[in-house]
Amino acid sequence: MAPKTTNIRLEFDAEVLRNEIFDVIDFASFQRFWQRFDHFLADRMVWGHLNVLDGHGLIPSEFEDVDGQLSYQAGEQTYQIAYDQLVREWVISVQ
């Protein structure tokens, strides 16, 4: 189970996609970002590695908007975060 203070670490090898998270301001823009992220991952066939991370509660899922914040699951925990805090709270690194 992920601790309540855990950071989500998303690793990209594309600077353009990494920078798109700075444009997330609401649920619609988050969905566009996450769809691009999904396509980025599928193109690189890294699902096996992601399944391992997901099993450790390190990949967020089950997204929805709750009172103007992003709500998501990571492992068995549910988190809420302001959209403008995603860049700071989710550690984004470029490989």
Side-chain angles (χ1 to χ4, degrees):
M1 185 180 322
K4 198 65 175 167
T5 59
T6 191
N7 283 343
I8 303 297
R9 185 174 187 85
L10 302 177
E11 295 204 5
F12 307 107
D13 63 7
E15 181 94 12
V16 171
L17 181 61
R18 182 185 72 91
N19 288 338
E20 284 190 14
I21 199 169
F22 287 95
D23 296 330
V24 172
I25 57 169
D26 56 15
F27 191 64
S29 57
F30 172 78
Q31 286 182 304
R32 286 191 299 272
F33 163 77
W34 196 256
Q35 184 178 34
R36 293 252 307 150
F37 180 62
D38 272 346
H39 289 150
F40 174 82
L41 296 175
D43 287 346
R44 282 147 186 84
M45 301 177 65
V46 294
W47 287 114
H49 178 63
L50 280 180
N51 287 339
V52 171
L53 292 175
D54 190 35
H56 288 92
L58 299 176
I59 299 293
S61 62
E62 305 293 326
F63 299 109
E64 62 181 342
D65 186 87
V66 175
D67 297 326
Q69 292 196 323
L70 180 67
S71 175
Y72 63 92
Q73 299 262 165
E76 296 178 9
Q77 293 284 344
T78 300
Y79 299 89
Q80 270 187 260
I81 186 170
Y83 295 102
D84 62 0
Q85 294 298 305
L86 284 173
V87 172
R88 201 178 81 175
E89 296 296 324
W90 290 12
V91 179
I92 310 299
S93 63
V94 177
Q95 290 181 328

